Every structure is written in C-alpha cells, then in structure tokens.
Amino acid sequence: MEILIFMLVMWYGGLFFQTFFLHRYSAHQSFTMSRFGEKLCYFLTWVFQGSNYLSAYGYGVMHRMHHAYADTEKDVHSPKYDKNLFAMMWRTKTTYSAITSKEVEVESRFTDNVPEWEAFDKFARSWISRLAWGTAYTLFFYEFATAWWQWLFLPVAFMMAPIHGAIINWFAHVYGYVNFKVGDTSKNFLPFDFLMMGESYHNNHHKHGNRANFGGVRWHEIDPTYLIMWVMDKLGMIHIKKLEVSVKKESFKKAA
C-alpha cells in the first residue's frame, strides 16, 4: 500500500506542478501570483518532481517554441518528424537542456517574461540533487516494498516527468478526437482526463493556448487543474486572467 501511495503522490504531485506552474504559468502566463507564490512553486516543483525536476525557464521557452512551430521541422517534439517515441523524447531532452543551459540563442518572443531563478535551477538540476532524490526513492522502496513486482515501479519514479511528456507530446498528437480545426495534429487524448489533470485536452489547448481552462468544450471535458485554480483564484492565492475567447466547437471529427 505504501508503494502505491508513493507512486500516486509522485504521479499527481509532479503532474500538478508541471501543468499548473511550468505550463499554465511559465509558458502561457494564464494567471498571476505573488513573488512569494512563484518561489514557493519552484520549491514544490522540486519536491514533487524530485529527480525529474524541470526548469520553469527551460520548459516555458521550449513549450512556446512548440506552439509556434507545431508539427513543422522546427517543432521541438513532433511525431511527424521523429521515427519513434524514444527518438522524439531524446530530441526534446537535448533541446530542453540546451535552452536551460543557454547554449543556444533563442528569440526574445520565446523568453519574454518567462520566470527564471538561475541559482535554484542550478541546484535542483544538479547531479547531487538528482542522485539524492534517486537514493531516497530506492531507500523508500527497500523499506516498504513487500513483493518483487513492486520494484518495477522504481524506474517509473525515476522517469516520471519524461513519461508525462511522452503521453502528451506523442500520444495526444496521434490518438484521440478533435474539437477544433487547427494547423497541427493535436488531439484530445482522453474524453475525461482523470490521468493527466487536464493536459490531455491537447486540441482544445492548441486552439486557445493562453486559456487557463483546457477543458469545458464538451460536457465531459472536466479539467481538474482548472478546478483547483478556480478555488485558488477565489481565495486570492492567484489571479486567473479573464480572456474573451470562444469555445464553440468547430469540428467533432474522430481522429484517424
């Protein structure tokens, strides 16, 4: 039971800060929060992503590039231009690392107002941090694993963030249904997103990139992250930007 709880906390905790902080805040700035709130999110992203920690700057810049170049040769991750999922994820990893380490020059439109905390990123992305988290995960399994098959979850813990990325960047461009005709292959991977906390409504998101609510087009498209954000907005913890956008369905063609 302890291993299952651990994996659920890792999955949904890491995923929440990926979609809430890295995606909706850093890349799209669909809401605002205080400087203290931003710093706290950096820390909690490190806590819940652990050895998988992703930089808000690197993620934000790379994701903006994905939207600008979706499904073209310049796209940082597109199933159309990689022979398989692993090749795509490796290219994503190398591009992300180059951006985060500032080894490549990036246009200002991709970096404007993206949050950056270089000192913390340097620490959280260091091998010392990653090895410390990896050791902690292994010791936890050593203490609480009661059957050999439970150890199969350990590699998943080490690779949690890449797994989250693969589900959306590959599968949500290959499988699913579409609500909107857009200039790329983005699809809504799940009709009810219990797995990815709203991230799998990828076609909706590519139509309205800066909209805080990724769901809400069909009755069953409930975005769990947005529900949490709505409560946080009412409590004054964040302020969701009010965007005048239409969510009228343009197409309900099933994906091939």
Side-chain angles (χ1 to χ4, degrees):
M1 181 61 70
E2 290 86 355
I3 298 298
L4 176 60
I5 293 172
F6 173 80
M7 293 304 297
L8 288 173
V9 170
M10 284 281 293
W11 182 272
Y12 287 105
L15 181 58
F16 174 76
F17 283 98
Q18 181 269 325
T19 184
F20 171 76
F21 180 55
L22 304 181
H23 191 178
R24 306 186 201 211
Y25 180 77
S26 300
H28 294 290
Q29 300 180 344
S30 60
F31 65 94
T32 61
M33 60 180 162
S34 68
R35 292 290 294 173
F36 173 78
E38 183 179 296
K39 298 295 187 185
L40 180 61
C41 281
Y42 271 99
F43 176 75
L44 292 176
T45 299
W46 176 67
V47 168
F48 285 100
Q49 288 191 333
S51 63
N52 295 264
Y53 175 83
L54 294 173
S55 158
Y57 176 82
Y59 184 100
V61 171
M62 186 174 68
H63 188 71
R64 289 183 181 185
M65 293 172 67
H66 168 62
H67 275 265
Y69 302 127
D71 284 330
T72 69
E73 291 184 356
K74 291 184 177 181
D75 192 351
V76 294
H77 39 66
S78 171
K80 289 180 65 175
Y81 292 95
D82 289 295
K83 59 183 179 181
N84 57 55
L85 183 151
F86 300 102
M88 185 196 76
M89 292 307 296
W90 181 255
R91 184 161 62 91
T92 300
K93 184 264 182 191
T94 56
T95 302
Y96 161 80
S97 296
I99 292 171
T100 307
S101 302
K102 298 186 177 179
E103 297 170 356
V104 294
E105 187 173 346
V106 179
E107 295 178 49
S108 61
R109 61 177 171 142
F110 299 129
T111 62
D112 285 346
N113 299 318
V114 176
E116 184 176 16
W117 190 0
E118 288 189 64
F120 189 85
D121 274 351
K122 184 176 181 180
F123 158 71
R125 295 179 64 238
S126 69
W127 279 109
I128 293 176
S129 173
R130 297 191 191 282
L131 288 172
W133 280 114
T135 301
Y137 300 162
T138 304
L139 290 174
F140 185 89
F141 273 72
Y142 179 79
E143 180 67 25
F144 293 106
T146 56
W148 68 266
W149 55 266
Q150 294 178 0
W151 284 91
L152 298 177
F153 287 115
L154 185 58
V156 178
F158 289 143
M159 299 294 292
M160 192 73 77
I163 291 170
H164 289 156
I167 290 173
I168 301 304
N169 298 324
W170 182 273
F171 292 99
H173 278 266
V174 177
Y175 305 105
Y177 66 93
V178 297
N179 285 337
F180 301 103
K181 293 180 180 178
V182 293
D184 56 62
T185 60
S186 60
K187 297 173 176 63
N188 292 335
F189 182 53
L190 297 171
F192 174 65
D193 193 5
F194 66 94
L195 183 67
M196 298 300 294
M197 298 192 72
E199 283 286 307
S200 75
Y201 300 131
H202 204 48
N203 176 251
N204 295 354
H205 173 58
H206 270 243
K207 176 64 177 179
H208 298 298
N210 294 331
R211 186 169 177 258
N213 185 0
F214 290 2
V217 178
R218 299 195 190 192
W219 68 269
H220 52 75
E221 292 177 353
I222 299 171
D223 181 349
T225 301
Y226 178 73
L227 296 180
I228 297 172
M229 291 172 61
W230 183 86
V231 172
M232 295 175 71
D233 180 78
K234 296 304 178 185
L235 293 175
M237 299 170 66
I238 64 173
H239 298 284
I240 298 173
K241 294 180 180 179
K242 308 302 179 184
L243 301 179
E244 296 296 328
V245 298
S246 169
V247 295
K248 182 179 179 181
K249 298 176 285 294
E250 297 178 2
S251 172
F252 281 131
K253 295 190 301 180
K254 291 292 182 181

